[in-house]
Amino acid sequence: MPETSRRHLLLGGAAVSAGALLTACTSNEPKNQSPVGSAAPAADDKPGTPVTIGFAGPQADHGWLNAINDNAERRAKKYSDVTLEITEGSNDTATQIGQVQTLINKKVDVLVILPADGKALTQIGLQAMKAGIPVINLDRIFASPQAYRCWIGGDNYGMGLNAGNFIGEQLKDKPNATVVELAGMDSLELTKQRTQGFDDALKNYPNIRKVARQAADFTVESGQAKMAQLLQAQSKFDALWNHDDDQGVGALRAVAQAGRKDFLMVGGAGAKSAMDAIKADTGVLKATVLYPPTMAASAIDLARALGQKKGVGGMSELEIPASITLYSAVVTKENVDEYLPTGFS
């Protein structure tokens, strides 16, 4: 899969509901908080200085990335003082650079950019900043901090860490427990971070040993194929950590075809299908560690606050932060109703 593929942007491992800190960007007054896409903004929705936000992201060829675009558009529509200039989206870096250049030429007030390739788009970020247009760098980070005013994204290490801790707590009393891992793409740093977090968590549970690992491709097809290989190679294990809920759809197909029910599975990212399965509690999938597409809604909040020269509600500073790493919440049967509205298709 090419480096510019949208799937490369799956920086899993962080979770935040729409009512988290960044959804309250411009007011110190408490608000009733509820999921992005269905409720009024938690930020100060009293109209202020008009702000034109340019949004550039990759092509929506994956559930998580489609949800990124959807969250940004829905959030912007909730503000009467925000105009959103959104590009079509492309996985080609040259095309995306051209799209951002067009937004710069339109002299938008703030840019929100989820780059197809952070390193390749660093120069256009620098160009925007030098032109006096502040940049909110969403998720995939630019190579230079000078290319953005604020970065917001997920915690890949934390995603693996929380997955490992959840599995560890389920198996802590089981002697000689074994786990397997269905990772993403090993060419991606995010995949290595998720694996490292998972491995570090398991160090706290000496009775648990990881016996196999397969790297999949963030697709349903690869998830099914790689999971089938794991199941064939491992006649018995106690838990599975799967990095991505989209490839998890395929993994669950392989599990069903093999007739296996002897282990628990933890997914990643927060797809609605995964949350539905967790709520039903009729199969092996017992939890998913979120990597919230609501970060795009929060990026719009940040951009609006930046354009109106306001800070973040609940914080004393007059300016928005320089970087924000979201939390990797674990969704289980006990709390799934809270997070279900944020699940993506």
Side-chain angles (χ1 to χ4, degrees):
M1 185 168 57
E3 174 62 25
T4 55
S5 169
R6 183 161 186 184
R7 298 182 186 96
H8 290 198
L9 305 176
L10 284 173
L11 303 180
V16 65
S17 69
L21 170 69
L22 289 177
T23 61
C25 275
T26 60
S27 173
N28 289 323
E29 295 300 318
K31 299 283 183 178
N32 292 327
Q33 298 176 349
S34 53
V36 166
S38 62
D44 179 6
D45 56 3
K46 182 179 180 180
T49 304
V51 179
T52 299
I53 301 172
F55 183 89
Q59 183 181 346
D61 60 0
H62 185 283
W64 186 87
L65 289 158
N66 183 66
I68 282 285
N69 291 348
D70 186 58
N71 270 270
E73 292 186 70
R74 290 191 182 193
R75 197 59 156 185
K77 287 177 180 178
K78 293 183 181 295
Y79 294 120
S80 62
D81 51 16
V82 168
T83 299
L84 188 67
E85 292 277 353
I86 190 166
T87 64
E88 184 176 345
S90 175
N91 292 332
D92 179 75
T93 55
T95 300
Q96 194 177 25
I97 287 171
Q99 292 170 340
V100 176
Q101 183 67 64
T102 298
L103 293 172
I104 293 173
N105 293 342
K106 288 183 176 181
K107 298 182 179 180
V108 297
D109 298 306
V110 187
L111 276 166
V112 176
I113 305 174
L114 199 167
D117 184 315
K119 183 177 180 180
L121 267 78
T122 297
Q123 286 302 315
I124 197 68
L126 288 168
Q127 182 181 333
M129 292 288 287
K130 290 178 181 177
I133 302 175
V135 175
I136 304 296
N137 182 193
L138 179 58
D139 204 38
R140 194 170 184 86
I141 196 165
F142 291 135
S144 169
Q146 298 183 62
Y148 57 89
R149 167 58 182 82
C150 174
W151 173 85
I152 176 172
D155 180 3
N156 291 293
Y157 178 86
M159 189 181 188
L161 187 71
N162 287 353
N165 283 331
F166 176 83
I167 288 174
E169 287 302 300
Q170 308 310 303
L171 301 179
K172 63 182 180 181
D173 297 324
K174 184 178 179 61
N176 302 314
T178 57
V179 300
V180 298
E181 180 180 9
L182 188 65
M185 294 183 64
D186 279 336
S187 61
L188 302 178
E189 184 63 27
L190 67 92
T191 298
K192 299 172 185 176
Q193 292 169 350
R194 293 179 188 183
T195 292
Q196 187 63 59
F198 184 65
D199 290 346
D200 285 352
L202 292 184
K203 292 175 183 177
N204 298 317
Y205 302 92
N207 64 305
I208 301 175
R209 180 169 56 98
K210 186 167 74 172
V211 295
R213 181 183 184 276
Q214 280 280 3
D217 210 24
F218 292 125
T219 68
V220 173
E221 294 76 17
S222 63
Q224 183 171 352
K226 296 299 183 178
M227 190 67 223
Q229 292 177 21
L230 278 174
L231 292 169
Q232 185 174 16
Q234 302 295 323
S235 60
K236 183 172 175 27
F237 55 88
D238 298 296
L240 161 69
W241 154 229
N242 164 53
H243 286 204
D244 175 62
D245 285 335
D246 273 23
Q247 70 183 27
V249 172
L252 287 170
R253 288 177 185 172
V255 171
Q257 289 173 357
R260 296 283 293 272
K261 299 179 180 179
D262 56 322
F263 62 91
L264 69 90
M265 174 178 171
V266 175
K272 185 178 183 301
S273 61
M275 294 191 200
D276 288 339
I278 291 166
K279 185 171 182 175
D281 196 24
T282 57
V284 298
L285 185 60
K286 302 301 181 183
T288 186
V289 186
L290 300 188
Y291 193 81
T294 51
M295 67 176 70
S298 295
I300 296 299
D301 287 339
L302 285 166
R304 177 177 180 256
L306 197 56
Q308 294 179 344
K309 296 181 172 56
K310 297 180 180 179
V312 174
M315 296 183 69
S316 300
E317 290 72 25
L318 299 177
E319 300 285 347
I320 68 170
S323 65
I324 300 158
T325 303
L326 305 182
Y327 180 67
S328 310
V330 180
V331 177
T332 65
K333 185 179 180 181
E334 287 68 35
N335 65 4
V336 66
D337 286 335
E338 178 183 355
Y339 291 101
L340 191 56
T342 71
F344 59 87
S345 300

